[in-house]
């Protein structure tokens, strides 16, 4: 007769196994599901939530020192019809009328609505962009700014000239252009004694509309020139049109800030303060120089391409890449 095999202990069969002690696939899930019921886990969750809320409040308090969040929300109060009509206005401003911003009388205007600078108009507030086509917004400038950076990087890749530094250099160039423009505008408004409660945010918004024309210039020129950049008659023709359209748009839109006129009456009949003739002439010259000379220079920097179809950012990236390669070879 054959004797039965010796019994095997459970501890030996699981020795060395990473799954020792688990008798089934369903024992792990119940333990994990009960994790959030543990008092220690709940206390950690509450501490983390409190820390997050405290940090958010701290950030809002410090940001409000420099930028009013309620006022900033006013510039993002847009709608799809407004965005489409505004883009058409920026590109085709030739026959648009009127250019003045709409106001509404109110003793308790919305907290995010900017009001005119004149004391006689203190009971009026400007309508948000979604309700007034002539109101400046920041949605289009911000989206155009980001689109310009991505488009420039995409075009560099299509030409076979992409480098990791292209996106960073393009973003830096665009940011420096906007920063210099705003600083120049603030200096001009200070010298000319121009005051407006929402002046800074208005100037930031208006300085970003040029990217719409720059994007159109890049896309159309790249298509007509078949990847040869914005040079040639096609590139200069498109650039001239978008520049002139942007210049007229700014000239008409900024007039209410730089050239308040006694004939510009509010709905209730109260008028803005009258500017002296000499001061008005200086403001007119400043507005013309900003709308045409300054915009031509900055739009040319943002949209220009050299003979090889390279943007300044691509050229800088290639120079940086060549210098890095030379250092590696030399070492």
């Amino acid at each position: 007769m054959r004797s039965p095999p010796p019994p095997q202990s459970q501890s030996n069969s699981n020795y060395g196994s990473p799954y020792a002690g688990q008798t089934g696939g369903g024992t792990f899930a119940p333990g994990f599901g009960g994790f959030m019921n543990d008092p220690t886990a709940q206390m950690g969750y509450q501490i983390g939530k409190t820390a997050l809320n405290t940090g958010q409040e701290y950030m809002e308090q410090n940001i409000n020192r420099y930028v009013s969040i309620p006022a900033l929300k006013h510039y993002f109060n847009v709608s799809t019809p407004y965005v489409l009509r505004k883009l058409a206005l920026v590109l085709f401003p030739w026959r648009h009328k009127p250019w003045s911003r709409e106001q509404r009388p109110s003793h308790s205007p919305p907290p995010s609505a900017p009001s005119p600078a004149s004391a006689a108009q203190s009971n009026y507030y400007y309508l948000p962009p979604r309700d007034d086509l002539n109101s400046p917004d920041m949605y289009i400038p911000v989206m155009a700014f980001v689109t310009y950076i991505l488009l420039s990087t995409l075009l560099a890749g299509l030409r076979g000239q992409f480098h990791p530094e292209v996106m960073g250099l393009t973003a830096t160039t665009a940011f420096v252009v906007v920063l210099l423009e705003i600083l120049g505008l603030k200096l001009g408004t200070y010298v000319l004694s121009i005051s407006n409660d929402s002046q800074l945010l208005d100037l930031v918004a208006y300085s970003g509309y040029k990217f719409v024309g720059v994007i159109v210039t890049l896309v159309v020129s790249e298509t007509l020139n078949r990847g040869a950049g914005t040079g040639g008659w096609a590139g200069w023709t498109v650039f001239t049109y978008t520049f002139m359209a942007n210049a007229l748009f700014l000239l008409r839109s900024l007039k209410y800030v730089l050239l308040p006129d006694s004939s510009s009456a509010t709905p209730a009949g109260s008028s803005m303060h009258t500017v002296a003739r000499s001061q008005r002439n200086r403001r007119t010259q400043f507005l013309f120089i900003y709308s045409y000379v300054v915009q031509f220079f900055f739009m040319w920097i943002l949209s220009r391409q050299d003979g090889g179809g390279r943007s300044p950012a691509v050229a800088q990236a290639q120079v940086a890449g060549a210098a890095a390669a030379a250092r590696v070879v030399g070492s």
Side-chain angles (χ1 to χ4, degrees):
M1 297 180 62
R2 180 180 299 178
S3 60
Q8 297 180 359
S9 63
Q10 184 69 22
S11 60
N12 293 337
S13 62
N14 292 332
Y15 179 77
S17 173
Y19 303 101
Q22 296 184 12
T23 59
T27 57
F28 178 75
F32 179 77
F35 173 76
M36 294 305 298
N37 295 327
D38 185 75
T40 305
Q42 292 182 357
M43 183 177 65
Y45 172 76
Q46 293 296 331
I47 294 175
K49 184 177 180 180
T50 303
L52 181 62
N53 293 335
T54 304
Q56 184 177 0
E57 294 176 359
Y58 176 80
M59 290 293 295
E60 291 179 355
Q61 291 176 359
N62 284 272
I63 292 177
N64 283 331
R65 294 180 182 178
Y66 307 98
V67 180
S68 175
I69 299 300
L72 194 62
K73 292 180 179 179
H74 170 86
Y75 293 87
F76 287 92
N77 186 7
V78 299
S79 62
T80 301
Y82 165 82
V83 172
L84 296 178
R85 294 173 60 199
K86 192 74 169 188
L87 290 175
L89 176 60
V90 173
L91 296 175
F92 308 99
W94 316 110
R95 303 184 64 179
H96 175 72
K97 287 182 180 181
W99 289 91
S100 59
R101 295 177 61 177
E102 295 186 17
Q103 305 171 26
R104 289 292 183 271
S106 176
H107 297 288
S108 58
S112 61
S115 58
S118 175
Q121 295 173 287
S122 58
N123 292 330
Y124 291 82
Y125 68 93
Y126 288 127
L127 294 182
R130 67 182 303 128
D131 298 325
D132 181 13
L133 181 61
N134 296 323
S135 178
D137 72 282
M138 288 190 181
Y139 177 81
I140 293 178
V142 171
M143 293 296 103
F145 182 88
V146 176
T147 303
Y148 166 76
I149 297 173
L150 298 179
L151 178 63
S152 299
T153 306
L154 175 63
L155 294 178
L158 294 176
R159 301 187 195 108
Q161 300 170 346
F162 176 78
H163 293 271
E165 299 88 356
V166 170
M167 180 174 291
L169 291 174
T170 303
T172 302
T173 302
F175 179 78
V176 170
V177 165
V178 173
L179 181 62
L180 291 177
E181 183 176 343
I182 294 175
L183 291 178
L185 281 173
K186 287 297 294 181
L187 178 61
T189 54
Y190 174 77
V191 173
L192 297 175
S193 302
I194 301 172
S195 61
N196 192 337
D197 294 339
S198 60
Q199 183 188 99
L200 177 60
L201 296 179
D202 286 350
L203 297 181
V204 172
Y206 283 121
S207 66
Y209 286 114
K210 70 169 66 62
F211 288 99
V212 176
V214 172
I215 291 172
V216 173
T217 301
L218 292 177
V219 173
V220 177
S221 301
E222 195 75 15
T223 303
L224 296 178
N225 291 333
R226 299 182 180 181
T230 56
W233 67 269
W236 277 105
T237 301
V238 178
F239 172 79
T240 302
Y241 176 84
T242 56
F243 156 69
M244 294 298 294
N246 181 73
L248 179 62
F249 169 77
L250 292 178
L251 186 68
R252 298 299 186 185
S253 298
L254 287 176
K255 184 178 179 181
Y256 82 95
V257 177
L258 302 180
L259 301 173
D261 191 0
S262 59
S263 61
S264 301
T266 62
S270 60
S271 61
M272 300 180 69
H273 61 281
T274 305
V275 182
R277 182 177 297 273
S278 60
Q279 187 79 342
R280 183 179 179 84
N281 291 336
R282 287 194 296 267
R283 293 185 181 185
T284 303
Q285 296 172 1
F286 173 76
L287 180 59
F288 178 83
I289 293 175
Y290 167 72
S291 300
Y292 286 89
V293 180
V294 175
Q295 292 302 310
F296 179 87
F297 177 71
F298 284 147
M299 290 184 68
W300 178 75
I301 290 178
L302 294 172
S303 62
R304 74 185 179 94
Q305 309 285 333
D306 61 16
R310 300 181 305 167
S311 66
V314 173
Q316 295 176 14
Q318 290 180 343
V319 171
R327 288 194 299 267
V328 172
V329 173
S331 60

